[in-house]
Amino acid sequence: QVQLVESGGGLVQAGGSLRLSCAASGRTISSYRMAWFRQAPGMERVFVSAIWSGLMTHYSDSVMGRFTISRDDAKNMAYLQMNSLKPEDTGVYYCAAGPHWTSTTSSQGYDNWGQGTQVTVSS
């Protein structure tokens, strides 16, 4: 299976930007749909964004226009560029990989998960 490790999280002021990285190992991600999920304290893990191997993307309504998901299969990496950050973006961000035939926006559609990276947006 593919192992995923997130990095790039931290504390940022509202309106600022942050770039998250997801490094994959064990096997290539070229055949996987990659995604980012967020989990805030006391809340369920929610979908943020996904990107297919053909570079088609999908975003949750709350981040559309502010976040950009990307991938570099040659480097076995996925990214999430977060701009115009809001306090409600705060949470642990998880990188995930799943086959193309599963649900895109549900956590059940992904078999591989990273450990998460904390993002805190202050007002």
Side-chain angles (χ1 to χ4, degrees):
Q1 298 185 96
V2 61
Q3 288 77 52
L4 306 174
V5 179
E6 303 93 337
S7 63
L11 176 64
V12 65
Q13 191 175 359
S17 299
L18 208 59
R19 191 192 194 203
L20 306 183
S21 298
C22 175
S25 62
R27 59 188 305 168
T28 64
I29 65 169
S30 59
S31 62
Y32 288 96
R33 179 187 64 231
M34 304 299 294
W36 290 93
F37 285 75
R38 181 187 70 245
Q39 187 165 25
M43 304 288 286
E44 293 184 345
R45 190 171 300 184
V46 298
F47 172 79
V48 175
S49 185
I51 182 168
W52 283 256
S53 59
L55 303 185
M56 185 179 73
T57 59
H58 182 61
Y59 299 91
S60 67
D61 291 342
S62 63
V63 306
M64 188 173 296
R66 299 188 297 119
F67 291 10
T68 302
I69 189 171
S70 61
R71 63 190 294 160
D72 187 340
D73 289 3
K75 296 181 179 179
N76 234 24
M77 297 284 292
Y79 308 93
L80 184 67
Q81 178 67 47
M82 304 184 293
N83 298 327
S84 302
L85 282 162
K86 304 175 180 179
E88 47 263 52
D89 296 321
T90 293
V92 178
Y93 282 73
Y94 296 90
C95 179
H100 69 88
W101 58 85
T102 61
S103 174
T104 300
T105 59
S106 172
S107 61
Q108 295 179 334
Y110 300 86
D111 300 320
N112 306 281
W113 295 86
Q115 293 295 308
T117 184
Q118 176 70 44
V119 173
T120 303
V121 184
S122 62
S123 60

